[in-house]
Amino acid sequence: MLAYGLFLLSGLALGALYSLGGIGLVLLNRATGVLNFAYGAIGAVGAMIAWQVLNWGGPEPLAWAASIGAGLLLSLAFGRLLAPGLAHREPVVKAVATLGFAIALLGLMNLIWSITPRSLSLTVDKQSVAVLGVRITGTRLLAIGAGIAITALTGVLLARTRMGLMMRALADNREVASVLGVPIRKVETTAWSVSGALAGFTGLLFGDLVRLDPTVLTFLVIPIIATTVIGRLTSIPVTFAAGIAIGIIESMLALYSPLTPFRVAAPFVVAIAALMWMQRGRYLTFAGED
Amino acid sequence: MTNFEISSAKVEATAGLSVRRHVMSAAILGVLILLSAVANGLWLKILTSVAIYTLTAASIALLYRRLGLVSLAQVAMMGIGGWVTLRLAHGTGLPFEMNVLCGGLSAGLVGMVLSYPALRMRGLYLALVTLMAAGGFAVLINVIQFPNGGDGFTGFAVRSVAYMPRPLIAQSDPAYLRYCAGVTALGFLLIRWHETTRPGRAWAMIRRSEACAISAGVNVTLYKVWGLALSGFLAGIAGGLLAGNLQLLDARSFPAGESVLIFALTIVGGAWHWFGAILTAILYRLLPAFLNDIGVNGNAAYIIFGGALIHALMSAPTGLAGQLSDAAMAIRRRLKRGRT
Amino acid sequence: MKRHRSTIIAAGAVLALTSGSALAAPKCGLNNGTKATGQPIKVGAVVGQTGPDDFSASAKAAKAYFTCVNANGGINGRPIEYLIQDDQWNPEVAGLVAAKLVKDEKVVALVASGSFVEMGVNAKLYAAEDVMSMAAACAVSECFESKNIVSTNEGPLPSSVGAAQWAVTKLGSKNVICIGLNIPSVGQYSCGWTEKYMQSKGLSGSSILMDPASADMNSAVLRAVASGADTVLVNLPAGMAAGFLKVAQEQGIRDNFKWISSTPLYDKAIPGILGDHWAGVMHVNIELTPIEGKGPDATNWREVLDKYGTAQDKRDTFSQSGYLSARFFVDAMLKLDPAKIDRKSVSEAIRAIKNEKSDLLCGPYYVGDGDRHMPNHANMMVQIAKDGFKVVGECTGVDSAYLDPIIAQEKRLGIGK
């Protein structure tokens, strides 16, 4: 029984990471209709810059700021300079275009920071609490806490503020929203900035908790997309819950040895199963866009 | 969406002159055969890769153009075709053609399974379901590995590799290039045949409106499933050819990201023109190999490649093939005007 | 070695006369200070430079050594033209670049290749064209089980078994758990033979294999705890190993186990990354002798890199190994008639390499005509200290049934210990 508890907690910590990544993706998709494949790469740049700052002896708050700032700027640059050129294209084309950005960023990172083992260590790593014999570090608590806080915050933002209202309008129907006078550019700029800042923050946590390797961090976006698929790319609370669930399932599979080697596939299998269940009985004949 | 329909109509109008199309494809095949005689070792390999991935790109373009479906799992489909091909080659000693055919059919079956979600979703959601499938495949294949001559169901053992034999008539690299080009050409003919007969008409109606298609008595489910199966089959064949090219496959060649990348390049190449698939394969395999060959640092090449991808998606909505075809048409028009 | 030394003395005299900067001058090939100007001899290398890890250090060291040789008389007057190709960790690209080197450039041999994918893909090409690859940075089983590939480094199998062997004799380990990659030709190959080693001694061994893309290190740590082992063998690439050890530190399980690792953790950056927590606790197996060694080859390797390499070239095990591959290759070439250097004579000369010694290696180096090669199968142990590494285990031959065909081969060839 204790073993179950251990792996459950461990899965919670992993799930918090998936959730945090998923929330940023959904937020951006809701406001701009872009599923950002470069989210992992943007986070990785943030984490690498933070490492560089710490390596030069900079203070830790500066490293955090640099990571978040770099994420914000990169995301904003893509959103303002490149994304408008694709605004009239299908969602899929917009999404795959961001893959180009991810590849370019990955190349850039590997050019600047030659490949060598690195690790990030933050002050929050040193604090920890013991639950059921598993030690949970401050960084993991931060990831879980941030996930909950951001889910709640975005819920309030979308439901209560004017910006949130406009974002929802945009997500529902761009043409109608623009006719109604929603300042599309302003809303999109906000969304790209917030999502980029989140990418920087998440990237730093990933770099600390997973490992500081641009290639790994860049392609982690694919399992993270699984959480957003379950949230149908729109629901932030569902995405959060999906991330946690996937993390727990992936971790618990370590207890059942025939499936242990396949457990990395958990995000994909869970996403497909959830989607199939949600779509059961639906038949797409007279349906609209999606 | 509308500009696609307009351009597709335009393409249909011009490419309706199927004589010109056959002449051009025969010319491309001829050039390849000529090249296979003169190209050196490196370029033989590059052109073989291009020929193989042309078929994969054509399988993606077929789905996108005819049914408006996006598959982000075609490289995984190649992996399935390649796995079955290798398994049979090591297990049964059947001729190459049989193995590849079985590989293609297996991938076609998996394509049919994908039609389950495809009947319920489309657009980005469907694309993401296929991406999830591709992600799952990458993990699965990393665990079971490609057959390398070992025993048991997986045909894999930790030991030195046994190489899969190539077709009897195509043992050497130049002959294998001609073989792959020939198979790809057959694949194109198969697609063309479908497009000009009943399935093509059914797909065209489904693409316009499914309601319309149903009222006209088209069995939407059947033709959608058939389209996905055909696309999977072609990608599976390409996977079999890839296995024959290296005479082995490596699990690390099939991450989900590659499937997304080749889809993106299919859009860049131009899904609306039949030769877009060739341009896609050139971008996917020849361009990086060329950059590597002239000594561009691999990471710098990533930056160039990523930038070019975004640029092409932004600037050419109908893909490079569309731009080329527009340019050709403009020239022709000018020539005509000059004559009168 | 004797021939080597006499040329060194002669060349030293020449250098002292001509340049006056002969004090720390590296010694290469003929070492006569004359630039080689004859017809170039083409030699190739395939390295995995772009991708999840950079495996180019071996070829960079070989390049520096060849540059030095070319400035010092070349191969009896003929310079070496060294062509390094990047396989980008992609099997297809590995096939392309090897075709370019072997078929188009017609290289006489490949020297100091380092890759994860290249060897498996190209072993057949090398055998068909009968070109030898004197690799230097191999990580997969295919590399050690092919007729035309011989590597100077050991790969993960002797390194992990060697670590376990040391832990059994020196730390009294009874139950080793091997943490490896779930890539069969790396993880199963090395962890599998480690388990077999433990069983052959009547002890127990088990493995936990992890997906390289996994974001989750926690469960591997928890499974290690649950395994009942007394010793953890970390057999992962350095970046992943650091991630694993970080989680182990988080969980505070250091003192419950003895800690050993295969070579990847022998990296200059590692003591700094792991910090004080692991100093004096983690023991790392090394495939070649220590980087700061004082022997003639160890010194020469550093000097060659300082003078002919760049400051960015890594000074690590793979770099040592690449230097050695290049030196053994050059020594074999110097025995040939320079006018008759072609692929056939070169492949023969490489197969004839026998009982070459170096202070960088624990045992003798040889090639021979066997269908598999693993000349280097004795290794050392170091301990991670606060700011570096400390030798804790001298050269020991690896004890594994895997080596039986290799030992039989050595007996046949008359390789002496």
Side-chain angles (χ1 to χ4, degrees):
Chain A
M1 205 52 223
L2 182 67
Y4 287 95
L6 283 178
F7 282 91
L8 187 88
L9 280 173
S10 165
L12 202 63
L14 175 67
L17 287 180
Y18 285 147
S19 295
L20 211 54
I23 292 169
L25 282 174
V26 170
L27 191 69
L28 182 70
N29 183 62
R30 278 195 69 146
T32 65
V34 178
L35 178 70
N36 190 1
F37 276 100
Y39 197 75
I42 292 172
V45 174
M48 292 307 289
I49 289 179
W51 174 84
Q52 191 64 68
V53 168
L54 291 174
N55 200 41
W56 282 334
E60 203 175 302
L62 185 65
W64 281 95
S67 181
I68 294 170
L72 190 149
L73 283 179
L74 281 173
S75 177
L76 194 59
F78 187 87
R80 287 305 294 270
L81 303 177
L82 302 172
L86 294 156
H88 58 287
R89 305 291 294 273
E90 296 160 85
V92 182
V93 174
K94 287 188 212 168
V96 296
T98 59
L99 182 73
F101 192 46
I103 292 173
L105 286 180
L106 178 60
L108 188 68
M109 281 185 276
N110 283 338
L111 264 189
I112 299 176
W113 292 283
S114 65
I115 302 173
T116 181
R118 288 187 182 86
S119 80
L120 263 176
S121 58
L122 304 168
T123 327
V124 275
D125 288 341
K126 302 196 173 70
Q127 283 99 39
S128 67
V129 290
V131 187
L132 286 175
V134 185
R135 283 228 227 143
I136 301 199
T137 59
T139 322
R140 285 186 203 277
L141 286 176
L142 183 64
I144 300 174
I148 296 171
I150 293 167
T151 306
L153 214 66
T154 46
V156 172
L157 175 89
L158 288 172
R160 299 282 163 83
T161 65
R162 194 174 154 71
M163 181 57 79
L165 180 70
M166 293 194 286
M167 280 186 180
R168 280 185 291 147
L170 265 188
D172 289 343
N173 192 320
R174 301 186 75 73
E175 275 81 32
V176 173
S178 73
V179 169
L180 288 176
V182 171
I184 293 188
R185 281 201 112 182
K186 195 174 142 201
V187 178
E188 289 197 341
T189 303
T190 313
W192 282 103
S193 316
V194 173
S195 150
L198 267 177
F201 175 75
T202 314
L204 190 56
L205 287 180
F206 270 74
D208 180 90
L209 293 172
V210 178
R211 56 186 172 278
L212 192 60
D213 176 333
T215 312
V216 170
L217 295 180
T218 297
F219 288 106
L220 265 179
V221 74
I222 292 179
I224 288 173
I225 285 176
T227 63
T228 68
V229 167
I230 299 175
R232 299 223 63 198
L233 299 176
T234 45
S235 166
I236 289 175
V238 174
T239 303
F240 178 77
I244 298 282
I246 288 175
I248 290 174
I249 292 172
E250 183 174 336
S251 178
M252 299 287 266
L253 280 176
L255 286 169
Y256 181 57
S257 57
L259 286 180
T260 302
F262 300 98
R263 64 193 191 88
V264 192
F268 310 116
V269 177
V270 172
I272 291 179
L275 212 58
M276 292 285 91
W277 188 75
M278 290 191 294
Q279 303 283 340
R280 73 194 181 284
R282 184 163 179 249
Y283 191 84
L284 190 92
T285 301
F286 301 99
E289 282 167 22
D290 280 306
Chain B
M1 197 49 83
T2 42
N3 60 355
F4 281 123
E5 270 157 27
I6 292 163
S7 79
S8 92
K10 194 169 63 190
V11 174
E12 288 298 318
T14 49
L17 304 163
S18 66
V19 181
R20 189 185 299 150
R21 183 179 176 143
H22 288 303
V23 170
M24 253 185 91
S25 42
I28 291 176
L29 210 59
V31 168
L32 262 181
I33 291 173
L34 198 75
L35 278 176
S36 74
V38 296
N40 63 18
L42 171 71
W43 283 93
L44 275 178
K45 292 262 185 198
I46 295 177
L47 290 173
T48 310
S49 284
V50 169
I52 294 170
Y53 282 101
T54 298
L55 193 55
T56 312
S59 79
I60 298 169
L62 169 74
L63 276 186
Y64 187 64
R65 180 176 61 217
R66 290 297 158 199
L67 288 163
L69 297 177
V70 174
S71 167
L72 299 182
Q74 292 306 96
V75 170
M77 289 289 194
M78 288 178 80
I80 293 167
W83 191 91
V84 173
T85 305
L86 280 167
R87 186 69 200 92
L88 291 175
H90 287 305
T92 63
L94 284 171
F96 184 83
E97 289 74 13
M98 277 303 288
N99 301 335
V100 172
L101 200 63
C102 291
L105 290 173
S106 317
L109 267 176
V110 177
M112 288 171 91
V113 173
L114 275 186
S115 65
Y116 184 79
L119 290 170
R120 285 160 183 77
M121 290 163 245
R122 67 179 143 218
L124 189 54
Y125 290 114
L126 176 66
L128 292 180
V129 174
T130 60
L131 177 65
M132 295 298 105
F137 176 80
V139 176
L140 177 74
I141 199 66
N142 206 15
V143 176
I144 68 168
Q145 296 284 313
F146 283 101
N148 67 351
D151 303 319
F153 172 74
T154 61
F156 176 84
V158 180
R159 45 166 262 185
S160 50
V161 198
Y163 293 88
M164 167 190 156
R166 276 184 180 175
L168 282 175
I169 54 164
Q171 294 285 332
S172 68
D173 280 356
Y176 196 69
L177 167 59
R178 290 192 290 273
Y179 189 91
C180 289
V183 174
T184 300
L186 285 178
F188 271 78
L189 285 178
L190 186 65
I191 293 175
R192 184 76 195 138
W193 179 65
H194 272 91
E195 286 182 332
T196 50
T197 54
R198 185 189 278 269
R201 290 194 294 276
W203 289 337
M205 287 188 92
I206 295 172
R207 183 80 158 108
R208 298 268 148 163
S209 152
E210 290 182 13
C212 204
I214 289 177
S215 62
V218 170
N219 186 341
V220 173
T221 309
L222 174 76
Y223 283 107
K224 266 194 169 179
V225 172
W226 184 245
L228 281 153
L230 178 64
S231 168
F233 172 75
L234 293 171
I237 296 279
L241 292 177
L242 189 67
N245 187 29
L246 294 171
Q247 299 181 268
L248 56 83
L249 286 176
D250 188 310
R252 280 159 289 186
S253 308
F254 299 87
E258 291 295 306
S259 291
V260 184
L261 186 58
I262 195 164
F263 172 79
L265 292 174
T266 304
I267 303 296
V268 169
W272 302 91
H273 297 75
W274 64 275
F275 59 92
I278 301 173
L279 296 177
T280 301
I282 287 175
L283 292 172
Y284 185 59
R285 276 299 177 249
L286 192 142
L287 179 68
F290 173 73
L291 290 175
N292 193 16
D293 193 46
I294 59 171
V296 175
N297 176 295
N299 292 315
Y302 267 39
I303 301 176
I304 298 171
F305 196 78
L309 178 62
I310 300 172
H311 177 78
L313 283 173
M314 281 168 59
S315 61
T318 54
L320 298 177
Q323 284 188 325
L324 280 179
S325 135
D326 287 352
M329 213 146 38
I331 292 169
R332 221 175 293 134
R333 223 177 288 133
R334 192 161 300 166
L335 284 178
K336 254 185 214 155
R337 214 177 296 143
R339 231 178 278 151
T340 52
Chain C
M1 231 27 209
K2 206 172 268 174
R3 178 193 50 76
H4 213 86
R5 200 158 302 142
S6 60
T7 48
I8 288 165
I9 294 164
V14 172
L15 266 182
L17 283 176
T18 50
S19 63
S21 65
L23 256 179
K27 311 162 191 72
C28 315
L30 292 175
N31 212 30
N32 59 13
T34 328
K35 199 170 164 0
T37 51
Q39 206 206 344
I41 300 168
K42 282 186 178 172
V43 175
V46 181
V47 296
Q49 184 167 14
T50 313
D53 204 344
D54 183 354
F55 263 49
S56 65
S58 58
K60 283 179 177 151
K63 188 179 174 61
Y65 186 74
F66 288 148
T67 313
C68 177
V69 167
N70 290 346
N72 283 289
I75 305 298
N76 295 313
R78 292 179 66 180
I80 289 171
E81 186 184 342
Y82 191 43
L83 309 162
I84 305 174
Q85 292 284 322
D86 180 5
D87 71 22
Q88 306 183 342
W89 288 68
N90 178 329
E92 261 183 272
V93 178
L96 293 182
V97 295
K100 175 182 176 178
L101 290 174
V102 173
K103 293 193 168 165
D104 304 340
E105 298 287 354
K106 308 218 176 303
V107 295
V108 295
L110 292 112
V111 176
S113 292
S115 168
F116 237 77
V117 297
E118 185 263 331
M119 288 78 184
V121 172
N122 295 323
K124 185 174 187 225
L125 173 74
Y126 299 155
E129 301 276 334
D130 197 27
V131 57
M132 290 298 290
S133 171
M134 292 175 73
C138 273
V140 292
S141 60
E142 289 97 341
C143 196
F144 304 96
E145 297 171 5
S146 306
K147 188 170 167 47
N148 283 51
I149 301 175
V150 51
S151 189
T152 310
N153 77 320
E154 302 188 328
L157 187 150
S159 184
S160 338
V161 176
Q165 201 178 325
W166 180 84
V168 167
T169 45
K170 295 284 153 62
L171 304 178
S173 299
K174 302 261 179 281
N175 186 346
V176 171
I177 184 144
C178 178
I179 317 283
L181 286 179
N182 73 344
I183 298 170
S185 58
V186 187
Q188 269 99 315
Y189 167 72
S190 52
C191 284
W193 281 96
T194 307
E195 286 177 29
K196 279 182 202 160
Y197 165 77
M198 294 303 289
Q199 280 145 19
S200 75
K201 300 288 159 204
L203 305 166
S204 32
S206 52
S207 307
I208 295 172
L209 301 176
M210 289 204 276
D211 194 286
S214 173
D216 177 22
M217 295 283 173
N218 241 356
S219 32
V221 170
L222 293 179
R223 282 166 69 200
V225 172
S227 71
D230 57 18
T231 305
V232 179
L233 165 56
V234 181
N235 182 20
L236 295 169
M240 245 179 124
F244 177 82
L245 291 174
K246 186 169 180 184
V247 176
Q249 176 175 356
E250 247 175 55
Q251 297 302 335
I253 58 167
R254 180 190 70 187
D255 300 334
N256 306 356
F257 296 96
K258 305 174 179 83
W259 294 87
I260 50 177
S261 162
S262 54
T263 310
L265 277 187
Y266 189 53
D267 185 302
K268 211 171 47 188
I270 285 292
I273 288 175
L274 294 186
D276 294 348
H277 190 75
W278 296 99
V281 177
M282 177 54 92
H283 307 91
V284 185
N285 183 279
I286 59 174
E287 299 174 24
L288 277 79
T289 55
I291 287 171
E292 57 283 355
K294 298 281 181 284
D297 263 326
T299 316
N300 199 37
W301 160 63
R302 287 190 298 266
E303 282 169 359
V304 165
L305 269 180
D306 288 346
K307 184 154 179 208
Y308 295 97
T310 65
Q312 284 86 45
D313 293 351
K314 273 192 162 187
R315 271 75 168 165
D316 61 3
T317 304
F318 285 161
S319 172
Q320 292 177 309
S321 175
Y323 158 85
L324 263 190
S325 292
R327 177 167 91 66
F328 292 146
F329 172 75
V330 167
D331 288 354
M333 288 305 96
L334 286 172
K335 293 178 190 145
L336 295 176
D337 175 352
K340 286 188 189 136
I341 291 182
D342 57 14
R343 191 176 285 171
K344 189 164 173 292
S345 63
V346 169
S347 292
E348 271 170 29
I350 291 174
R351 286 203 187 93
I353 294 176
K354 227 169 114 168
N355 281 328
E356 286 280 353
K357 303 239 168 39
S358 165
D359 49 281
L360 287 175
L361 288 177
C362 280
Y365 180 88
Y366 65 94
V367 181
D369 55 358
D371 60 355
R372 56 169 60 201
H373 305 275
M374 189 184 269
N376 181 10
H377 49 77
N379 43 39
M380 295 174 69
M381 291 296 290
V382 295
Q383 188 182 59
I384 292 184
K386 277 211 162 53
D387 45 5
F389 297 91
K390 187 176 93 191
V391 174
V392 291
E394 291 304 325
C395 283
T396 311
V398 171
D399 172 12
S400 168
Y402 179 80
L403 293 170
D404 290 350
I406 304 283
I407 307 288
Q409 210 178 127
E410 288 179 4
K411 219 167 251 168
R412 187 166 57 79
L413 291 168
I415 305 299
K417 285 269 162 77

